[in-house]
Amino acid sequence: MSVFDVQGLGVAYGSFTAVKDISLEIPRNKVTALIGPSGCGKSTVLRCLNRMNDLMDATVSGKIIYNGEDIYGPEVDAAEVRRRIGMVFQRPNPFPKSIYENVAFGPRLNGFKGDLDQLVEESLRSVALWDEVKDKLDDPGTALSGGQQQRLCIARAIAVQPDVLLMDEPCSALDPIATLKIEDLIRQLESSYSIVIVTHNMQQAARVSEMTAFFSVDIDDEHGMRTGALVEYDTTEKIFNNPGNTRTEDYISGRFG
Amino acid sequence: MSATLSRQRKRIADPAFRWFVTLAGASVFVILAGMVIRTTNDAWPIFQYQGFFSFLTGDQWLAGSSRTDSDFTGTYGAWPFIYGTLVTALIAIVIALPLALCVAFYINQLAPKRLRNPLSYSVEMLAAVPSIIFGMWGFFWLLPNVLRPFLEWLESTFGWINLAGWKPFEGPVFGSSYLAAGIVLAIMILPIITAIVREVIAVNPVDQQHAAYALGATRFEVMRKVVLPSSFSGIVAASMLGLGRAVGETVAVMMLIGSTKSWDGSLLSAGDSMAAHIAARFGEATPETTKALMAIGVVLFLFTMIINIGARLLVWRIGRVSGDAAV
């Protein structure tokens, strides 16, 4: 049972083709990792999954079927897509508001009618931040440590009760201990959400994901064009222990990238 | 091998530079103090003669002809000019601020990428146009072609409004009026407010905007809930700059307000503002009237100070609540 069915996805920024011809099925309630060297388009693909690429003037071709509906279809409201498919960014980006208001921002935006205090508490509990911040909910979110800020951002994302969480290198700005906490958290969240994570860190992909997609850069020597492409997509175990493609093997074993 | 870390060469430039910048810094206070003391000192006999409070509230202004610091013969009630300044500046800011926010938002978020730079250059160029140009254009073109018909329409449609004795749109319509001056002032301060607001919006952190988009916010919601709150102090600063320009504006107001000393509360009637009155009268003023005009200047200075302090307090108060980074 897949949550996304990506069919022949291509993305261009102006005349520059970032990725082309990507097809993959992303399973529901599992963690899927997108790995690959810089410039391979893994973040570009991730940003297509909730139409964040719209904000960067990208031209998207192909289809992304989410729950049977093409999210790039003509009738689709991008804001609604993003409400269902949450996103956590590379650098922790809490709003310059209180911890409470950071988590309450999304629910308020979407007209949440229930017990907001309870929702904030639940969201903070599910990222294991509640005990650390319950006495200072009115403090600014920006005053927390980097790892805490990132967990706050995850709490903010899940407070709107999305279906999918996209994570764009969520640990790249964090220290190893904070990284481990986020990884633990990702594994816990897996039962409730479908998670797609982009990471530079291969060990991280191996630790947290069930499925791994390896992207690489195709270089067209004639025109000097560099285009991202999906090389191999399989279970994480297979990708890391018995890759079917020599480029994957070279990357995994550290021979390039 | 001792003392190798001590000073090896003479430095003359360092202390000289320090003295120079200290002096430059101090000059700000010297100029400010000199200006305040001198004008207040010159205006003092008038405040004593008329009484400060009755100077502010009286609505009779009759120039006197005394040549000394005593034996004043005039009556000095500056209220008509104070009213003119306040009302025109208020009209200007009420019209200009929302428009400026919209224009800045459009340039920043909605305009096609290749139009953004030309648009913001044009706005900045407009901000540098001298006010006499706005005054002339306002008087010779805007007033007869746009403002007069508009004022007449206001009078015929809303002329009946009566707020506890204050009839804001009561006729007759002459054209030159508080409202005409206020509208031209609004057009005049629109570019400077827009230019600053646009820059303030442009430096708003993109990653926070993306965070809001990722939660399902629309462009408008991102603007209203993320960009505007954290740009609050910048927007207040821009408004204050615009308001300051409107309060102190002389030439453009002089050309459009009608320059009468009589006071009538209707926005459609002619009046005068503090700055415009000073400029119009000091050339022909007797020594006594010169002092009275100085007194208007002191009041004008007080007003700009109050506006500035008010803005600081506002930024400080609201900034504390909204977590504005600039506070």
Side-chain angles (χ1 to χ4, degrees), chain B residues 175-187:
Chain B
S176 293
S177 57
Y178 296 121
L179 194 55
I183 289 171
V184 172
L185 275 181
I187 298 170

Side-chain angles (χ1 to χ4, degrees), chain B residues 60 72 75 80 84 97 110 123 165 211 272 312 322:
Chain B
Q60 282 273 338
F72 290 156
T75 309
L97 183 59
L110 293 179
V123 168
D272 214 345
R312 290 250 159 231
S322 71

Side-chain angles (χ1 to χ4, degrees), chain A residues 142-156:
Chain A
T142 44
L144 296 172
S145 73
Q148 287 175 322
Q149 285 189 23
Q150 196 60 301
R151 278 184 284 153
L152 177 63
C153 291
I154 299 175
R156 178 177 66 185

Side-chain angles (χ1 to χ4, degrees), chain A residues 47-113:
Chain A
R47 283 198 300 265
C48 287
L49 298 179
N50 69 340
R51 292 192 56 172
M52 281 300 276
N53 260 339
D54 291 18
L55 305 172
M56 291 148 200
D57 296 312
T59 318
V60 177
S61 57
K63 279 183 181 171
I64 297 179
I65 308 295
Y66 163 73
N67 284 347
E69 212 180 335
D70 182 5
I71 62 171
Y72 281 93
E75 300 288 302
V76 171
D77 174 18
E80 189 54 33
V81 169
R82 295 187 200 116
R83 200 197 64 69
R84 309 265 192 96
I85 304 166
M87 190 165 207
V88 176
F89 297 82
Q90 221 176 75
R91 277 195 308 153
N93 55 354
F95 297 123
K97 298 173 188 283
S98 71
I99 293 170
Y100 183 96
E101 286 302 321
N102 261 283
V103 182
F105 185 93
R108 285 218 169 106
L109 191 70
N110 294 297
F112 179 74
K113 291 275 189 318

Side-chain angles (χ1 to χ4, degrees), chain B residues 201-232:
Chain B
I201 292 179
V203 299
N204 187 265
V206 174
D207 56 355
Q208 281 167 23
Q209 296 175 33
H210 283 180
Y213 279 119
L215 292 167
T218 60
R219 266 181 200 282
F220 177 69
E221 285 165 339
V222 169
M223 201 64 199
R224 196 164 61 87
K225 299 194 169 172
V226 179
V227 179
L228 286 187
S230 59
S231 308
F232 179 77

Side-chain angles (χ1 to χ4, degrees), chain B residues 77-216:
Chain B
W79 173 248
F81 314 134
I82 296 173
Y83 180 84
T85 297
L86 290 184
V87 158
T88 49
L90 215 66
I91 292 171
I93 197 77
V94 164
I95 297 174
L97 183 59
L99 271 179
L101 288 179
C102 292
V103 176
F105 179 44
Y106 174 76
I107 294 176
N108 222 283
Q109 304 269 328
L110 293 179
K113 275 235 161 72
R114 64 203 151 72
L115 264 184
R116 283 179 197 178
N117 276 333
L119 267 173
S120 42
Y121 290 145
S122 311
V123 168
E124 273 157 35
M125 220 156 68
L126 266 178
V129 171
S131 53
I132 182 79
I133 312 269
F134 281 98
M136 286 204 307
W137 172 76
F139 184 77
F140 290 113
W141 188 81
L142 195 68
L143 190 60
N145 292 315
V146 180
L147 288 182
R148 228 193 128 91
F150 174 63
L151 298 183
E152 274 159 5
W153 173 79
L154 273 181
E155 197 262 338
S156 63
T157 317
F158 298 110
W160 51 270
I161 294 179
N162 187 341
L163 303 167
W166 181 52
K167 298 175 187 157
F169 303 113
E170 195 185 27
V173 175
F174 298 109
S176 293
S177 57
Y178 296 121
L179 194 55
I183 289 171
V184 172
L185 275 181
I187 298 170
M188 206 184 90
I189 64 175
L190 178 63
I192 185 80
I193 302 182
T194 306
I196 297 174
V197 170
R198 190 197 66 78
E199 286 201 11
V200 170
I201 292 179
V203 299
N204 187 265
V206 174
D207 56 355
Q208 281 167 23
Q209 296 175 33
H210 283 180
Y213 279 119
L215 292 167

